[in-house]
Amino acid sequence: MSVQPIRAVVLSGHGTVFDSTGAVRAAEAALGGKAEALASLWQTKRFEYAWIATATGRKVELWEITGEALDHAMGALGFGHDRLLRARLMQGLLQAPPFPDAKPALGALAGNRARPVALLTNASAMMATATAKAGDVFALFDALLSAEPTGVFTPSPAVYQLAAARFSVPLPEIAYVSAHAWDVAGAALSGMRAIWLNRHGALPEFAWAPPAATISSLTELPALLDATHPAA
């Protein structure tokens, strides 16, 4: 990592702090063993539709994109137009549980008042607030930053700039943590100190925008930040 101090920490939402698959597992009995497949396809299509919206200039909230992606996933896996199941899954996503490593890490980070912590998400402010409160981590963040005001989604540079504006800190002095390699690449290209949360030992991608560091659990994050750059 650079010699510049890290003056703020930003984490992405679903896949990093919140377990979208865990939300789908809550409806496993109704999914007939297809919970993992549905969760995977739903997430993939949600990302794809958000990227397409950004590329084409379509102005749409992530909640609508989330519903469109779920409609595709349900149709592809044979669930048709089951409106009750759809409503249950959409509501479940708002209550996606934090990963087991999230709360301990956020608790440790929250104790350092000199280095604020934020959630940066493509979700609307409503979605982000609901999920953070349901997971009992809302109070551990100094800010919830939604891509909504920019009209685009990550990995657009405009979204990462929200963190710099919120904390009045240059992007190179902000650590950004994500479990998504494409998101890490976007943050790195924007100038942030990108940290890849590689929980499952995935192969590295995007060598043209590598992470500044890689961790396998969020519990490694506080020590990494303190050892590399003690807060000012």
Side-chain angles (χ1 to χ4, degrees), residues 53 71 77 91 155 166 212:
D71 290 340
L77 293 173
Q91 182 61 33
R166 173 62 177 80

Side-chain angles (χ1 to χ4, degrees), residues 8-230:
V9 183
V10 178
L11 298 94
S12 70
H14 285 275
T16 301
V17 174
F18 303 109
D19 183 4
S20 304
T21 302
V24 175
R25 286 197 200 102
E28 194 161 15
L31 295 173
K34 295 181 178 179
E36 296 289 337
L38 180 71
S40 177
L41 184 56
W42 187 9
Q43 175 172 273
T44 296
K45 290 301 175 182
R46 198 153 53 106
F47 289 149
E48 286 181 5
Y49 295 175
W51 297 333
I52 291 168
T54 295
T56 60
R58 181 190 182 202
K59 302 304 180 186
V60 59
E61 289 188 3
L62 190 69
W63 184 248
E64 185 174 347
I65 285 176
T66 298
E68 293 169 351
L70 179 57
D71 290 340
H72 173 85
M74 289 179 63
L77 293 173
F79 294 106
H81 301 287
D82 187 332
R83 285 186 285 182
L84 288 177
L85 178 59
R86 184 187 192 276
R88 181 179 178 186
L89 290 167
M90 290 289 285
Q91 182 61 33
L93 194 67
L94 290 179
Q95 300 173 339
F99 284 99
D101 59 356
K103 272 190 180 181
L106 289 170
L109 293 172
N112 189 338
R113 305 315 303 171
R115 193 160 53 205
V117 179
L119 184 77
L120 178 62
T121 174
N122 283 331
S124 67
M126 178 276 292
M127 291 176 67
T129 299
T131 306
K133 287 186 174 180
D136 195 28
V137 294
F138 180 80
L140 300 179
F141 290 105
D142 295 290
L144 300 183
L145 305 177
S146 166
E148 193 172 23
T150 68
V152 293
F153 301 107
T154 53
S156 171
V159 180
Y160 303 113
Q161 287 287 348
L162 292 170
R166 173 62 177 80
F167 295 122
S168 298
V169 172
L171 286 174
E173 296 180 12
I174 300 175
Y176 181 77
V177 186
S178 177
H180 309 296
W182 54 266
D183 191 19
V184 171
L189 284 179
S190 77
M192 300 178 100
R193 212 77 57 80
I195 299 172
W196 184 25
L197 173 60
N198 186 6
R199 286 191 176 98
H200 305 296
L203 289 175
E205 297 182 80
F206 312 116
W208 38 267
T214 300
I215 56 178
S216 60
S217 169
L218 283 177
T219 56
E220 300 170 28
L221 182 61
L224 172 68
L225 297 177
D226 289 340
T228 312
H229 295 290

